[in-house]
């Protein structure tokens, strides 16, 4: 354990890794600042370029950018009332009123330190939890892995923001897409329409780009103009940034509580960052001495959600790394990146690649620290990116996505497939179908079928009669039934 | 939203019926999971379709939708932008297919930026940047063989 930790973390101090992390942090901040783009979009765009890369370097780049994207997103939340990423939405409730009151610097300072330190503390919690889950994951075989994946699939409905039925339809469509191509066990070609190109199925890169990144590009192309409307004041005074930094230490206990909340909400697969920040905001308000000033520029309304926002990343990593269940859409994309590297996150991951797990923990800590330092210096300049016109940004990003898709396996058909699938992604985006649920279904669908096949061959139809499998089945049923049953009981009581 | 939702769901239902017909002919082990997924998805799509229909008729959403659609129809600019975006993406695919990455991508950037920007400044700078990324970065530095285009295949 100690050896793996030293090995995994020492890798990060190589000059190439430090430089890559630094550049990825800047990339992540820029993607966070741009509304519609996020750390997840960065990962989706960058995944193709990780093909053939050293796994530690690839993960460092992806995780660094993802870890700081919500910090970037909160900059625009505070300054221009536009959340760069979903979880930044809670910050604007009090952050933007502070800007209107001329306290933008103070809000920015508090936001940067709360989110940065939250990320560091969340990573430490992840580091503490890894040894605890090790003995559990050592007992996992193919039946347990199947039920674990089934449990992950059961969170599909939770990934949707609106209608649960729409989220379930999205997830099932993703599953169906995963079955395209050769069937592992029989070698039978499914849904290929006689095309040899589809025999390998739809690859993860065209799918990730088409579902997450391309719809944003199409939106940018249709909407035109710059990301921020003309006439919006995009300026931040640096005078009271230090005051904001001090605010976090004045409210250190609120910060710690919200980080812990963020970590534990992050651990629950399918719940994700959007929930964590709102839970933290609610907690900050309910425990504040001045709840009546929330929404009018209360600094606690900035510190609370920001502490949870980056703190949750450590928690979200745990089920992804240790159990192979992505806790959010971004974690599903990260899971895809692991698969491209030939690494299967899940019980076997901590056995075989424990050093890589520590590299990821170290990356979370260092990238958050980098993020704070960089943002303190460049935040006022960084927000100018929002003024870049969509007509200049969209063609460049479209070309980079096409290049990335092509380079994955030198196939032009992949590029065309990505363009064609992007209209499905766009339609889903417009009609409120959950794209993370679709991608989760796509990523886990093939694995579920594979583990099911192996379990049947190895143990027969009684493969589910193991203690861990039965526990997992019970947890799955409980997690599916809990909300409907409690709301039914509440209705009946009323 | 309702009308578009209904069209999308009906298309989805058609696709699922076709997938069901195709899947039923597969060997039992290969069709086991897809059949479960198709059946579940079919039931949910039907349920959502019925719900959307019901909501449309009971709360007058159909009326509201038709008003929204009227507004959309009057907004010719919005419609035109959508059609143009599809055309640009089609053009992007065609340019890539004919001219390959090294020429096709900068050409697309040049055409797109020139059509949307008044001056020549960005229409010159951005294609050059794209050319440097594709040719300098991928061909020379990373030594990745890129598709040369139908017109230039040696």
């Amino acid at each position: 354990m100690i050896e793996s930790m030293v090995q995994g973390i020492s890798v990060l101090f190589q000059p190439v890794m430090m430089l890559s992390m630094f550049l990825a942090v800047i990339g992540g901040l820029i993607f966070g600042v741009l509304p519609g783009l996020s750390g997840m979009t960065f990962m989706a765009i960058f995944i193709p370029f990780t093909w053939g890369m050293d796994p530690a370097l690839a993960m460092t780049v992806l995780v660094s950018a993802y870890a700081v994207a919500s910090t970037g997103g909160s900059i625009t939340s505070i300054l221009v009332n536009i959340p760069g990423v979903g979880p930044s939405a809670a910050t604007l409730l009090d952050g933007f009123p502070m800007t209107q009151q001329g306290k933008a610097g103070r809000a920015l300072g508090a936001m940067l330190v709360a989110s940065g330190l939250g990320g560091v503390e969340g990573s430490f919690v992840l580091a503490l939890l890894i040894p605890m889950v090790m003995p559990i994951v050592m007992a996992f075989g193919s039946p347990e892995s199947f039920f674990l994946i089934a449990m992950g699939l059961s969170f599909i409905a939770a990934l949707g923001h609106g209608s649960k039925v729409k989220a379930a339809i999205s997830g099932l469509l993703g599953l169906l897409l995963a079955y395209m191509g050769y069937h592992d066990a029989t070698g039978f070609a499914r849904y290929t329409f006689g095309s040899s190109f589809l025999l390998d199925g739809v690859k993860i890169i065209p799918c990730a780009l088409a579902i997450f990144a391309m719809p944003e590009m199409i939106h940018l192309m249709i909407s035109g103009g710059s990301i921020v409307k003309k006439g919006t004041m995009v300026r931040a005074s640096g005078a009271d940034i230090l005051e904001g930094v001090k605010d976090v230490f004045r409210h250190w206990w609120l910060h710690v509580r919200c980080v812990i909340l963020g970590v534990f909400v992050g651990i629950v697969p399918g719940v994700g960052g959007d929930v964590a920040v709102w839970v933290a905001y609610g907690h900050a308000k309910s425990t504040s001495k001045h709840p009546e000033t929330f929404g009018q520029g209360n600094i606690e309304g900035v510190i609370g959600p920001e502490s949870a926002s980056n703190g949750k990343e450590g928690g979200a990593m745990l089920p992804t790394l240790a159990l192979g269940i992505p806790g959010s859409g971004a974690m599903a994309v990260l899971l895809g990146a692991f698969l491209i590297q030939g690494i299967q996150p899940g019980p076997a991951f901590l056995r075989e690649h424990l050093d890589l797990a520590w590299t990821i923990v170290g990356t979370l800590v260092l990238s958050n620290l980098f993020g704070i330092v960089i943002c303190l210096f460049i935040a006022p300049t960084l927000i100018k990116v929002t003024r870049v016109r969509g007509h200049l940004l969209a063609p460049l990003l479209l070309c980079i996505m096409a290049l990335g898709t092509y380079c994955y396996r030198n196939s032009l058909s992949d590029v065309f497939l990505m363009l064609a699938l992007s209209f499905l992604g766009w339609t889903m985006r417009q009609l409120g179908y959950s794209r993370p649920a679709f991608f989760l279904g796509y990523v886990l669908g093939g694995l579920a079928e594979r583990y099911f096949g192996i379990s049947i061959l190895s143990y027969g139809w009684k493969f589910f009669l193991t203690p861990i499998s039965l526990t997992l089945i019970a947890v799955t049923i409980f997690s599916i039934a809990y909300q409907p049953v409690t709301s039914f009981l509440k209705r009946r009581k009323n | 939203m309702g009308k578009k939702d209904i069209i999308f769901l009906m298309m989805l239902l058609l696709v699922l019926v076709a997938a069901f017909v195709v899947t039923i002919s597969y060997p039992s082990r290969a069709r086991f999971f897809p059949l479960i997924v198709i059946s579940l998805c079919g039931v949910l799509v039907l349920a959502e379709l019925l719900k959307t229909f019901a909501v449309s008729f009971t709360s007058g959403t159909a009326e509201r939708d038709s008003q929204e659609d009227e507004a959309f129809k009057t907004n010719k600019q919005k419609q035109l932008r959508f059609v143009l975006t599809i055309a640009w993406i089609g053009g992007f695919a065609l340019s890539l297919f004919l001219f390959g990455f090294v020429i096709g991508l900068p050409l697309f950037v040049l055409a797109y930026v020139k059509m949307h920007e008044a001056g020549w400044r960005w229409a010159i700078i951005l294609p050059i940047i794209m050319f440097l990324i594709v040719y300098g970065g991928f061909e020379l530095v990373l030594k990745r063989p890129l598709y040369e285009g139908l017109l230039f295949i040696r």
Side-chain angles (χ1 to χ4, degrees):
Chain A
M1 173 70 81
I2 300 290
E3 196 184 322
S4 302
M5 190 198 290
V6 173
Q7 198 183 334
I9 293 175
S10 62
V11 167
L12 289 171
F13 294 96
Q14 291 171 4
V16 179
M17 296 290 261
M18 291 296 264
L19 182 67
S20 309
M21 196 190 296
F22 182 76
L23 294 175
V25 165
I26 292 176
L29 288 171
I30 291 172
F31 269 67
V33 164
L34 296 172
L37 302 182
S38 62
M40 185 167 75
T41 324
F42 180 94
M43 287 204 289
I45 291 176
F46 197 80
I47 276 179
F49 304 106
T50 62
W51 174 248
M53 227 184 226
D54 174 60
L57 179 62
M59 290 306 138
T60 300
V61 171
L62 295 176
V63 172
S64 303
Y66 176 68
V68 298
S70 65
T71 307
S74 298
I75 293 175
T76 46
S77 270
I78 290 172
L79 295 174
V80 286
N81 206 23
I82 298 171
V85 293
S88 304
T91 308
L92 63 82
L93 292 183
D94 281 280
F96 189 63
M98 286 185 76
T99 300
Q100 289 172 316
Q101 294 159 17
K103 298 176 190 166
R106 188 177 170 191
L108 271 179
M111 178 277 287
L112 290 174
V113 174
S115 66
L117 287 184
V120 173
E121 291 152 17
S123 314
F124 284 130
V125 177
L126 170 66
L128 284 173
L129 290 176
I130 283 178
M132 291 181 199
V133 294
M134 276 290 281
I136 303 167
V137 299
M138 295 292 262
F140 272 63
S142 55
E144 290 81 8
S145 296
F146 168 73
F147 285 111
L148 206 54
I149 291 165
M151 193 168 98
L153 286 171
S154 74
F155 289 114
I156 275 176
L159 278 176
H161 290 291
S163 158
K164 300 285 177 212
V165 177
K166 279 185 172 180
I169 291 172
S170 310
L172 289 167
L173 286 176
L175 276 164
L176 205 54
L177 193 73
Y179 298 137
M180 199 176 252
Y182 277 129
H183 177 225
D184 276 350
T186 59
F188 189 83
R190 297 179 296 191
Y191 315 116
T192 57
F193 313 106
S195 155
S196 57
F197 161 69
L198 289 173
L199 285 176
D200 274 345
V202 176
K203 289 292 171 189
I204 200 157
I205 286 167
C207 184
L209 289 175
I211 298 301
F212 294 112
M214 274 300 289
E216 305 309 329
M217 284 313 100
I218 295 174
H219 179 69
L220 208 58
M221 286 167 96
I222 290 174
S223 60
S226 60
I227 287 163
V228 171
K229 283 177 189 165
K230 273 185 182 173
T232 309
M233 285 287 285
V234 185
R235 204 170 53 190
S237 157
D240 51 358
I241 284 180
L242 192 66
E243 193 60 27
V245 174
K246 285 179 189 169
D247 275 326
V248 179
F249 295 102
R250 280 186 203 118
H251 298 95
W252 68 273
W253 181 227
L254 170 71
H255 167 72
V256 170
R257 289 197 316 264
C258 289
V259 169
I260 293 169
L261 263 175
V263 171
F264 284 99
V265 173
I267 287 175
V268 182
V271 179
D274 287 344
V275 177
V277 290
W278 289 108
V279 170
Y281 185 83
H283 175 73
K285 189 176 177 180
S286 60
T287 56
S288 171
K289 286 175 185 166
H290 307 286
E292 72 285 352
T293 58
F294 270 67
Q296 296 163 19
N298 188 324
I299 194 74
E300 292 169 72
V302 174
I303 295 169
E306 281 305 318
S307 304
S309 174
N310 282 20
K312 73 172 191 308
E313 307 306 349
M317 286 280 174
L318 191 71
T320 312
L321 299 180
L323 306 173
I325 300 174
S328 62
M331 288 298 111
V333 177
L334 189 69
L335 191 70
F338 274 110
L339 296 177
I340 286 163
Q341 293 291 331
I343 298 168
Q344 171 70 63
F349 175 78
L350 291 184
R351 279 198 299 263
E352 294 159 13
H353 302 283
L354 189 58
D355 54 333
L356 189 56
W358 286 111
T359 304
I360 290 171
V361 174
T363 304
L364 278 174
V365 174
L366 287 177
S367 57
N368 274 297
L369 292 175
F370 270 150
I372 299 177
V373 176
I374 293 170
C375 276
L376 284 174
F377 284 103
I378 65 163
T381 315
L382 198 66
I383 56 161
K384 288 180 185 163
V385 179
T386 55
R387 285 204 183 281
V388 176
R389 292 184 290 279
H391 294 316
L392 301 180
L393 204 61
L396 285 182
L397 288 174
L398 184 61
C399 291
I400 288 168
M401 279 190 272
L403 266 173
T405 308
Y406 179 81
C407 287
Y408 176 46
R409 52 174 188 169
N410 285 352
S411 164
L412 195 65
S413 305
D414 273 339
V415 180
F416 294 143
L417 183 68
M418 188 246 323
L419 293 176
L421 266 180
S422 65
F423 287 99
L424 175 68
W426 161 251
T427 312
M428 290 175 77
R429 180 190 191 276
Q430 293 304 98
L431 298 181
Y433 285 83
S434 167
R435 291 178 288 158
F438 178 93
F439 199 67
L440 185 63
Y442 165 77
V443 169
L444 296 182
L447 293 173
E449 193 179 33
R450 188 177 307 151
Y451 281 121
F452 181 79
I454 297 170
S455 304
I456 290 285
L457 284 175
S458 314
Y459 304 94
W461 284 99
K462 290 180 181 171
F463 72 94
F464 57 87
L465 292 174
T466 67
I468 296 178
S469 297
L470 289 171
T471 311
L472 288 170
I473 293 168
V475 172
T476 308
I477 293 170
F478 176 77
S479 64
I480 293 172
Y482 179 75
Q483 211 187 2
V485 169
T486 48
S487 56
F488 171 76
L489 289 175
K490 265 185 195 166
R491 270 203 309 271
R492 212 174 152 192
K493 203 176 170 185
N494 289 335
Chain B
M1 185 71 86
K3 198 174 171 184
K4 289 174 203 160
D5 252 327
I6 289 169
I7 294 170
F8 179 67
L9 286 166
M10 286 176 94
M11 281 170 65
L12 216 55
L13 205 59
L14 278 176
V15 170
L16 288 171
V17 169
F20 186 86
V21 172
V22 172
T23 311
I24 208 88
S25 63
Y26 291 166
S28 58
R29 281 171 69 192
R31 73 182 177 209
F32 180 73
F33 266 86
L35 273 185
I36 294 173
V37 171
I38 291 169
S39 311
L40 269 175
C41 196
V43 170
L44 289 175
V45 167
L46 257 178
E48 184 68 16
L49 195 60
L50 290 174
K51 194 184 98 184
T52 316
F53 267 128
V55 170
S56 298
F57 285 113
T58 52
S59 64
T61 312
E63 223 173 272
R64 208 166 48 241
D65 274 349
S66 66
Q67 282 169 3
E68 276 172 15
D69 287 345
E70 272 311 304
F72 184 71
K73 273 173 199 162
T74 53
N75 195 350
K76 290 280 179 198
Q77 215 179 358
K78 213 172 177 180
Q79 272 184 322
L80 190 70
R81 271 193 211 147
F82 180 70
V83 174
L84 272 177
T85 302
I86 292 175
W88 274 111
I89 290 174
F92 174 76
L94 189 70
S95 138
L96 198 58
F97 181 64
L98 292 178
F99 304 108
F101 280 91
V102 178
I103 297 171
L105 295 193
L107 200 67
F108 170 77
V109 175
L110 170 73
Y112 190 89
V113 175
K114 187 67 203 97
M115 289 293 284
H116 291 89
E117 292 284 319
W120 276 97
R121 191 170 62 144
W122 290 110
I124 292 170
I125 294 172
L126 290 182
I128 290 174
I129 292 173
M130 188 41 66
F131 179 78
L132 289 176
I133 291 173
V134 180
Y135 188 70
F138 281 79
E139 291 259 341
L140 297 182
V141 179
L142 295 172
K143 301 208 183 306
R144 299 206 66 146
L146 295 171
Y147 173 68
E148 293 162 321
L150 190 70
L151 300 177
F152 302 104
I153 285 179
R154 277 168 275 177

